[in-house]
Amino acid sequence: MAQRRMLMKGTEAIAEAAIRAGCHHFFGYPITPQNEIPEYMSRRLPQVGGVYLQAESEVAAINMLCGAGAAGVRVMTSSSSPGVALMSEGASYMVGGELPAVIVNIMRGGPGLGDIQPSQGDYDQMTRGFGHGDKHFIVLAPSTVQEAVDMMALAFDLADEYRNPCVVLGDGLIGQMMEPVTFPEPSERTFDRSWAATGKKPGQRRNILRSLFLDPEVLEKHVEKLFEKFKVMELKEQRYEAWMMDDAPPVVISAYGTTARIAKSAIRELRAEGHRVGLFRPISAWPFPVDGLATYVEQTRLFLGIEMSMGQMVEDVRRVVAGRRPVQFWGRTGGMVPTVEEIVAQVKERSAALGQ
Amino acid sequence: MAEQVAFKRTSVLTDDYFHYCPGCTHGVAHRLVAEVIEEMGIQDRTIGVSPVGCSVLAYNYLDVDFVEAAHGRAPAVATGIRRTLPEDRYVFTYQGDGDLASIGMAEIIHAANRGEKITVIFINNAIYGMTGGQMAPTTLPGMRTTTSPNGRDTGLCGHPIRMCELLDTLVEPKFIARGSLSSPKLILKAKKLLRQAFDLQHSGFTFVELLSTCPTGWGLTPDNSLAWLERNMVPFFPMEVFREPGKMPPQATPYHPDLKVRDDAPKAEKKTEEG
């Protein structure tokens, strides 16, 4: 079948992509700027025999994911920064109980109630502070609506493969803009579900899905087993884009999501004026593409982190660069979106200081 | 003469020893649930959801598939399971008073209000057992706990919450009843309530509260605990069947056909083909 290109809003495209990835169960709670996802799901899921249920809170929603994930189906929720914060406890339980699910966070300005404008203030929340205990989540950060669409199928596959919740981290811009998209063919992969709690099969061991291990030795072994998975994720699931990096530019911008797109426009202008600038764009925020970034450290003179935050991902860049090169930061926050002109000016000023 | 079996251990209980304190009625409640599951022949179709509290390890004793919930969230977890698995499955939660009536108040009210087809077993012993005897939402006025050392002061923290009565204001629940585990006679009655709830589960939300003892938390002997329960808890938490078939729920809001349509309802699909 010929693939149709469709003009869709990011949030609705994410929802449709999830359904096409086999997700027929959605639990969520309204919060701006992602309401089109639950609205779309409430229209579409009954058409495919699925379940859309509006939870009484984000706390309840994540625990409904816990139940549906434990029952062995593809399930997702979507929310925005403060709503996602409310889900952190349940998400930690899901890691402990090894339950797959996809959590979409369309970030808005914070802290607190903040505002409803695009932001990237949740990088730390998703890669570091999402839930208690020793745990990780794969965090995928799309830069275009098409990439978000492609990521939904990937996110469900990764969640199932590792039996761990997977996060898709977009900002309000990805959610609200309209772009042409093509939906990929559904994945052919199948996953073992024999661990799910669906009713004890006669003559077989029953399934208990839990995160409680009162004996510290047993808990330590359980956490070590989880970290064997995280180690595999760190080896296999690092994703990034290196853009305009072939001529070993002295200045490299690190940015993700929508900010990376704005940075690309700025880099085009800068290159037109003869400034050699490249972009390192993490696609997986966790695992951070350590190995990819490491290959560019020697050839680069200055890293400039640009984010819609006060500087969160840049700490990962600093971790990899490890003091060998200067790593600077410039960002806008509170829902302010950086402009191409601002980025161009920032790069020029910093290049001049380097003696470029 | 052929031997007659007068009493048999239910096969739905595992061989594990209960970890509960002497005189605690959790063991009795577990056993009743197990017997009901066995009698209905639904062991292979039942999924339990365990709470946080003394009965967090319920899955060690009840031999069915289990999912462990975060504190108070068992009705939400059960919702996720219920809305996912085929309709012939039985899903139940087993929760204490701190779990259900304090931190989990939103989840229980909304699961009941949606009419989730689950059975909620609510163990009310008027205290937090697992954490060491702190005041619960169901702690009686004047009752001493480790966090109400001078007795529950209703001026400071209000009166105990009656969950059955609260849920009985909702339209959807199909069965709401309160029983007690304080005497053999009441235990047999409690089992009937549990059986009724499981029997009605596929028609809607079902809820059984069981007044229970916590000798350790109360600082009483097991015997005295049973007497204390009947003397103090029963007057405040009356044993009644609040809702059952034939007992009408409060009047539902009349459904107005005009409410179905919004003038600004979204158009079916706003998609444009590009090329």
Side-chain angles (χ1 to χ4, degrees):
Chain A
M1 196 182 84
Q3 288 293 346
R4 289 200 317 165
R5 287 183 87 203
M6 288 184 272
L7 186 66
M8 284 185 87
K9 202 173 189 177
T11 39
E12 297 192 330
I14 285 170
E16 181 60 31
I19 294 170
R20 292 183 187 219
C23 172
H24 289 181
H25 291 78
F26 182 96
F27 302 94
Y29 185 80
I31 183 170
T32 307
Q34 60 79 53
N35 291 315
E36 298 86 350
I37 296 178
E39 284 168 0
Y40 190 90
M41 288 298 196
S42 73
R43 292 200 299 276
R44 276 282 284 140
L45 280 175
Q47 295 172 359
V48 296
V51 173
Y52 164 83
L53 189 65
Q54 185 163 318
E56 59 269 31
S57 66
E58 288 90 350
V59 173
I62 191 73
N63 284 286
M64 290 172 186
L65 256 64
C66 196
V73 298
R74 287 198 155 176
V75 60
M76 74 173 275
T77 189
S78 63
S79 189
S80 181
S81 311
V84 172
L86 283 172
M87 295 181 177
S88 61
E89 182 205 30
S92 169
Y93 277 67
M94 294 187 79
V95 174
E98 297 190 83
L99 304 176
V102 171
I103 299 161
V104 175
N105 180 359
I106 303 295
M107 290 179 280
R108 60 186 257 181
L113 205 46
D115 62 20
I116 57 173
Q117 304 305 318
S119 157
Q120 294 182 320
D122 288 2
Y123 183 91
D124 284 352
Q125 173 170 233
M126 304 326 287
T127 62
R128 302 286 194 282
F130 194 42
H132 57 284
D134 287 319
K135 44 88 203 76
H136 289 292
F137 302 85
I138 293 180
V139 180
L140 303 173
S143 186
T144 66
V145 176
Q146 181 64 56
E147 192 175 32
V149 160
D150 295 337
M151 257 176 202
M152 290 311 292
L154 174 66
F156 280 104
D157 279 355
L158 292 174
D160 280 333
E161 182 172 344
Y162 295 105
R163 280 184 62 189
N164 199 71
C166 183
V167 174
V168 174
L169 183 64
D171 48 70
L173 273 169
I174 290 280
Q176 295 303 316
M177 76 174 120
M178 290 185 85
E179 285 191 293
V181 291
T182 308
F183 289 97
E185 290 295 323
S187 139
E188 300 283 307
R189 296 186 65 183
T190 54
F191 297 91
D192 170 41
R193 304 273 185 200
S194 60
W195 49 266
T198 59
K200 176 188 160 165
K201 326 265 173 317
Q204 284 185 23
R205 271 191 61 218
R206 66 203 174 103
N207 292 324
I208 302 172
L209 297 160
R210 57 170 171 163
S211 60
L212 178 75
F213 301 91
L214 285 171
D215 181 337
E217 275 184 43
V218 177
L219 178 59
E220 186 179 51
K221 284 215 163 51
H222 175 67
V223 175
E224 282 170 356
K225 190 186 97 181
L226 296 178
F227 271 73
E228 287 298 314
K229 291 197 301 190
F230 298 142
K231 209 162 38 175
V232 176
M233 291 179 197
E234 285 183 302
L235 281 172
K236 285 174 59 185
E237 311 301 346
Q238 293 185 25
R239 289 173 166 81
Y240 67 94
E241 178 191 16
W243 192 77
M244 296 273 183
M245 295 287 277
D246 290 345
D247 60 350
V251 178
V252 171
I253 293 174
S254 66
Y256 72 103
T258 298
T259 311
R261 278 176 91 161
I262 302 167
K264 280 184 181 179
S265 299
I267 290 169
R268 277 194 201 96
E269 284 198 10
L270 286 160
R271 285 203 170 244
E273 293 179 32
H275 298 274
R276 285 193 301 132
V277 183
L279 172 71
F280 185 81
R281 176 174 76 91
I283 295 171
S284 57
W286 198 94
F288 187 77
V290 170
D291 301 336
L293 181 57
T295 59
Y296 298 108
V297 173
E298 288 302 322
Q299 70 184 41
T300 303
R301 289 198 59 200
L302 171 69
F303 288 94
L304 175 59
I306 298 182
E307 298 168 44
M308 286 191 278
S309 77
M310 294 303 282
Q312 299 189 7
M313 187 182 78
V314 70
E315 293 301 330
D316 273 335
V317 176
R318 291 198 174 109
R319 178 165 64 92
V320 176
V321 175
R324 289 173 287 170
R325 296 290 180 272
V327 179
Q328 298 180 2
F329 177 79
W330 180 79
R332 299 296 304 268
T333 189
M336 296 299 292
V337 179
T339 64
V340 171
E341 294 70 34
E342 284 173 323
I343 295 176
V344 167
Q346 286 295 327
V347 171
K348 281 184 181 170
E349 191 186 310
R350 288 159 203 265
S351 300
L354 269 185
Q356 287 293 308
Chain B
M1 202 177 84
E3 276 182 34
Q4 227 186 334
V5 179
F7 181 81
K8 202 168 116 276
R9 195 170 185 285
T10 163
S11 62
V12 180
L13 282 181
T14 64
D15 292 334
D16 279 10
Y17 292 108
F18 288 132
H19 70 280
Y20 301 114
C21 304
C24 165
T25 43
H26 265 310
V28 177
H30 281 14
R31 188 188 168 94
L32 297 183
V33 175
E35 286 179 359
V36 166
I37 291 170
E38 184 184 31
E39 284 166 21
M40 291 174 72
I42 56 169
Q43 186 178 10
D44 59 342
R45 284 183 286 147
T46 300
I47 297 95
V49 182
S50 57
V52 170
C54 287
S55 49
V56 64
L57 295 170
Y59 46 73
N60 281 353
Y61 313 120
L62 292 162
D63 190 19
V64 293
D65 275 6
F66 250 98
V67 183
E68 181 186 81
H71 199 22
R73 318 300 174 213
V77 173
T79 297
I81 300 169
R82 175 83 273 168
R83 300 278 181 150
T84 298
L85 292 181
E87 284 184 12
D88 70 338
R89 300 303 201 279
Y90 286 81
V91 181
F92 74 91
T93 74
Y94 185 104
Q95 304 173 255
D97 43 70
D99 188 86
L100 182 140
S102 191
I103 195 167
M105 184 59 101
E107 284 74 17
I108 187 63
I109 294 279
H110 286 276
N113 192 50
R114 287 190 302 265
E116 295 296 340
K117 294 171 179 170
I118 60 175
T119 294
V120 173
I121 299 150
F122 172 39
I123 304 297
N124 179 2
N125 58 12
I127 206 160
Y128 281 80
M130 178 77 134
T131 44
Q134 292 82 10
M135 188 181 72
T138 48
T139 292
L140 296 173
M143 182 175 164
R144 284 191 188 165
T145 69
T146 58
T147 51
S148 57
N150 301 315
R152 179 176 184 144
D153 177 354
T154 54
L156 186 67
C157 40
H159 278 75
I161 294 173
R162 296 182 177 102
M163 284 309 301
C164 286
E165 289 82 344
L166 198 57
L167 294 174
D168 195 33
T169 63
L170 303 174
V171 174
E172 289 297 333
K174 294 291 182 279
F175 187 77
I176 301 171
R178 181 184 289 124
S180 171
L181 300 173
S182 51
S183 73
K185 198 175 141 194
L186 289 172
I187 288 169
L188 290 176
K189 214 168 151 189
K191 184 176 166 185
K192 285 203 182 95
L193 297 178
L194 289 170
R195 177 64 195 257
Q196 265 180 289
F198 271 85
D199 278 339
L200 288 167
Q201 186 184 112
H202 289 164
S203 71
F205 181 82
T206 54
F207 184 88
V208 179
E209 173 175 345
L210 298 173
L211 301 179
S212 303
T213 60
C214 181
T216 304
W218 293 354
L220 296 173
T221 64
D223 260 5
N224 287 343
S225 295
L226 296 170
W228 189 91
L229 184 161
E230 295 199 355
R231 202 166 58 244
N232 296 287
M233 289 184 77
V234 172
F236 196 87
F237 299 109
M239 286 183 282
E240 268 181 52
V241 176
F242 295 86
R243 183 79 57 86
E244 65 183 328
K247 225 174 187 177
M248 292 297 289
Q251 187 62 45
T253 312
Y255 187 78
H256 197 285
D258 283 355
L259 292 177
K260 272 169 89 174
V261 180
R262 281 175 44 167
D263 289 338
D264 60 343
K267 304 286 177 290
E269 295 303 320
K270 281 183 272 180
K271 287 178 195 165
T272 325
E273 203 156 334
E274 276 226 330

